[in-house]
Amino acid sequence: MLKIYNTLTGKKEPFEPLTAGTVKMYVCGVTVYDECHLGHARSALVFEMIRRYLEHSGLSVTFVKNFTDVDDKIINRANELKIPWQAVTARYIDTYYRDMGRLGIQPATVEPKATEHMAEIIALVQVLIQKGVAYQVNSDVYFQVEKYGAYGRLSKRKLDDMQAGARVEVDERKRHPMDFALWKGAKPGEPSWDSPWGKGRPGWHIECSAMSMKHLGETFDIHGGGADLIFPHHENEIAQSCGATGKEFARYWIHNGFVQINQEKMSKSLGNFFTIREIFEKWGYREPVTAEALKYFLLSSHYRSPLNFSDQALLEAKRALDDFYDLFGRLEDSPSAKNSGKISDNDPVRKAAKQLPKAVGEFGEDFRDRMDDDFNTPDAIAMFHKLQTLVNTQLRIGFSDDCIKARDVMRSFGKVLGLFQLPVREWQFQDRAIKLEAEHLIPDSELERLIVERSEAKKRRDFARADEIRQALAAQGITLEDRPDGTTRWKR
RNA sequence: GGCGCCGUACCCAAGUGGCUAAGGGGGCAGUCUGCAAAACUGUUAUGCGGCGGUUCGAACCCGCCCGGCGCCUCCA
């Protein structure tokens, strides 16, 4: 039974979709005024993992992820760049898809844009006015928070508490300082749409209410986003949506934790962020390799925890994956290789290897147990490591079919996490600086020639020459491994 | 000021009432190897920020304290 931590209740709850067998989920996407940074990558990856796991569990998932493409920040950016605001949104929607593509993130089922839902937005604002929970001031429309009794439920705060310390601009036109804009009248030159209140544009939160209700219905299962959206964005979405329909809005609220740099939140305002593009460009590996290292890194801590990013942390992730791909590679190269001569029958290795079939057989169930516990990906990843060790242990004795079964299990369940999907030959093993040099210095044909020469040198016991070749290659980032069957493997 | 989260080994990180506190990295010692590499084995927290309390029993619950972070303003 899947349990999900629900921000609304502050508890892990059994997940029971509204309609058995299906899940309707909405995740706040990006406001397209700048390039995505690692924080966006985490959010995207976390919810992709959740979606995949739900699908893996046999549920049919409708996943909606929006673009907010009208907003003050977009207008500001357009002014800065002296280009039309539509050019800003078009540019950053492109870079969004470029970055998500690099990360290997699939598109959502529906990816609606705010600008394409003006009719729904305006209709929703009208309903709120009719219901008496919103009011018009000149060409603006505000939501009246005091009319919504449960305001503050999601973010666990009271209107009175917020008043006390909030640095709210004094706006005499608002009936309560926390009232927020549903519709903003347009100044000359700003993007605008016709409405009953004159030309204007939607406030920040209303587009998500309109789009989620249009594509998923008035009540749906999961609503997600970064933890910084809890207040005010999601709180206001709930107020608007429930205010309009009188029904429950989203039933489970899922929020991912922040990416941090030196223990501080990565954010635009602090200026301590890395864009996804920067990471891919600076890191030096091919994109699928960098993407997988990022995924491993981001999923190796729980989705709700803060996660400190550093070059070293990413390298650790990369190295962990090296070991998995190395194992996959050894299974492909010569699965018939035997190495059992030196292992006696009562060696502990033999006993340990006996656990492999059981571990393979129970992997699926164990995986489900851990993922069912609020998507415990770090615990799930630990299982992969355990299985990896068991396969390696078995390989010390000799190849068995269970090794292949284990590999298939790892690759198949790895798919849920977006891991272990690359062909081994596309993985890159050595550190990037060395690798970049090596690519230019040694052609494969020359490499093969040296390996043959070394192997001949070894045969005539000319170890000096053999070592000379090994060291020369090592200097260029190529590692040689002599295998039990007499062949030599190399890794860059 | 209000609300909330977190503090587990050298580093990263699971575990939230009950067998010897997962897993990874690193270190050390072995096995294997012509030498290596890789892999495997053992080892590295009588203790989970501190002090009290509840309990037969707590890293896990309660209280206080110390330290860090977040939200309350745009933010994934």
Side-chain angles (χ1 to χ4, degrees):
Chain A
M1 183 72 191
L2 172 61
K3 284 196 281 185
I4 298 180
Y5 180 88
N6 189 349
T7 309
L8 202 54
T9 56
K11 283 183 234 161
K12 276 187 209 172
E13 298 176 343
F15 178 64
E16 289 161 12
L18 214 51
T19 306
T22 70
V23 180
K24 293 181 190 303
M25 108 179 203
Y26 185 93
V27 171
C28 287
V30 290
T31 300
V32 279
Y33 73 103
D34 205 349
E35 293 202 15
C36 293
H37 62 223
L38 234 200
H40 299 102
R42 184 180 194 189
S43 188
L45 243 16
V46 161
F47 287 103
E48 156 130 316
M49 172 276 290
I50 288 175
R51 173 208 201 163
R52 285 192 147 141
Y53 182 64
L54 293 171
E55 286 172 345
H56 170 86
S57 306
L59 296 159
S60 166
V61 180
T62 307
F63 177 33
V64 180
K65 182 158 63 173
N66 74 289
F67 288 107
T68 295
D69 60 348
V70 226
D71 181 86
D72 290 357
K73 291 189 294 294
I74 293 168
I75 297 170
N76 294 340
R77 196 65 203 257
N79 292 338
E80 254 172 54
L81 298 173
K82 297 187 168 52
I83 56 177
W85 65 271
Q86 293 95 331
V88 173
T89 58
R91 174 188 296 182
Y92 293 114
I93 286 171
D94 283 351
T95 63
Y96 172 87
Y97 279 119
R98 178 199 66 200
D99 290 343
M100 293 302 133
R102 282 170 165 163
L103 287 166
I105 289 174
Q106 314 171 291
T109 319
V110 186
E111 303 194 329
K113 298 184 179 76
T115 51
E116 291 170 0
H117 292 75
M118 282 304 152
E120 288 84 357
I121 290 170
I122 289 166
L124 189 57
V125 176
Q126 281 180 304
V127 170
L128 289 167
I129 293 175
Q130 278 158 23
K131 294 226 172 177
V133 295
Y135 57 92
Q136 181 180 356
V137 180
N138 304 325
S139 54
D140 297 339
V141 180
Y142 290 98
F143 185 91
Q144 192 168 359
V145 290
E146 287 166 310
K147 294 276 174 121
Y148 180 66
Y151 195 79
R153 185 175 162 217
L154 181 73
S155 55
K156 316 264 187 284
R157 58 192 83 195
K158 296 177 184 137
L159 275 176
D160 294 344
D161 294 340
M162 286 188 274
Q163 259 181 291
R167 292 176 290 152
V168 180
E169 277 180 41
V170 181
D171 186 341
E172 295 300 328
R173 306 179 311 160
K174 289 205 260 181
R175 297 182 188 168
H176 187 283
M178 295 308 292
D179 288 353
F180 55 91
L182 297 172
W183 190 263
K184 294 178 172 184
K187 295 184 203 119
E190 286 183 349
S192 67
W193 287 261
D194 288 323
S195 81
W197 319 284
K199 282 191 173 294
R201 64 190 142 94
W204 175 32
H205 319 289
I206 194 74
E207 87 283 11
C208 281
S209 290
M211 288 187 277
S212 58
M213 287 198 268
K214 174 173 184 192
H215 295 285
L216 297 174
E218 291 177 341
T219 304
F220 54 93
D221 297 300
I222 294 174
H223 194 130
D228 43 4
L229 297 181
I230 294 171
F231 191 90
H233 186 56
H234 288 161
E235 193 69 64
N236 291 355
E237 270 187 62
I238 293 173
Q240 294 162 347
S241 306
C242 297
T245 66
K247 295 178 188 160
E248 189 179 22
F249 181 46
R251 302 166 63 235
Y252 298 86
W253 288 82
I254 303 181
H255 292 96
N256 65 275
F258 301 127
V259 175
Q260 304 183 320
I261 300 288
N262 297 324
Q263 321 298 333
E264 266 188 334
K265 179 184 172 182
M266 177 188 284
S267 73
K268 293 276 168 75
S269 33
L270 289 171
N272 61 347
F273 60 91
F274 293 97
T275 64
I276 297 172
R277 176 179 56 79
E278 282 174 321
I279 291 170
F280 275 100
E281 287 176 359
K282 287 183 183 169
W283 223 49
Y285 292 109
R286 265 186 279 115
E287 284 180 3
V289 174
T290 304
E292 189 160 340
L294 271 170
K295 284 185 212 183
Y296 184 99
F297 163 67
L298 291 168
L299 295 177
S300 64
S301 78
H302 187 83
Y303 76 89
R304 280 190 282 116
S305 307
L307 176 58
N308 212 47
F309 176 76
S310 67
D311 212 48
Q312 196 204 330
L314 196 53
L315 254 150
E316 274 191 24
K318 169 68 173 55
R319 289 201 187 113
L321 288 166
D322 282 345
D323 290 347
F324 282 104
Y325 277 101
D326 185 75
L327 174 59
F328 298 153
R330 275 180 285 131
L331 287 172
E332 277 176 16
D333 282 355
S334 48
S336 58
K338 300 273 185 200
N339 186 25
S340 52
K342 299 279 169 59
I343 312 276
S344 68
D345 285 346
N346 54 3
D347 193 294
V349 168
R350 288 197 184 274
K351 202 188 271 180
K354 290 209 174 90
Q355 297 170 33
L356 179 58
K358 187 162 175 271
V360 170
E362 291 174 357
F363 193 91
E365 197 182 329
D366 288 351
F367 183 78
R368 184 167 357 110
D369 284 347
R370 290 153 198 244
M371 292 297 283
D372 270 355
D373 184 14
D374 196 27
F375 311 106
N376 195 337
T377 54
D379 210 5
I381 287 173
M383 286 180 53
F384 285 91
H385 282 288
K386 280 184 185 164
L387 193 56
Q388 175 193 27
T389 299
L390 286 177
V391 175
N392 274 321
T393 304
Q394 174 61 49
L395 283 175
R396 270 180 64 87
I397 299 170
F399 171 79
S400 83
D401 288 343
D402 292 312
C403 298
I404 295 296
K405 283 185 198 158
R407 183 201 60 194
D408 292 347
V409 155
M410 284 194 263
R411 292 208 137 166
S412 130
F413 286 91
K415 194 167 187 179
V416 175
L417 307 180
L419 303 176
F420 315 131
Q421 300 303 300
L422 291 177
V424 176
R425 280 296 159 209
E426 287 187 23
W427 191 255
Q428 295 171 297
F429 285 94
Q430 285 297 308
D431 281 356
R432 58 200 187 285
I434 298 172
K435 176 225 129 207
L436 288 172
E437 274 177 54
E439 265 187 358
H440 300 297
L441 292 176
I442 291 251
D444 282 8
S445 55
E446 173 67 2
L447 182 62
E448 297 296 344
R449 195 191 63 73
L450 284 169
I451 287 172
V452 170
E453 188 189 335
R454 176 170 165 277
S455 148
E456 281 163 1
K458 275 173 63 185
K459 271 183 205 148
R460 59 176 192 268
R461 303 194 67 80
D462 180 1
F463 295 122
R465 176 59 188 152
D467 286 351
E468 196 184 333
I469 291 171
R470 178 199 291 290
Q471 279 157 24
L473 290 175
Q476 307 203 34
I478 292 161
T479 309
L480 299 183
E481 288 178 27
D482 294 333
R483 315 200 65 224
D485 61 5
T487 61
T488 297
R489 273 177 90 228
W490 58 272
K491 290 191 300 188
R492 287 191 201 275

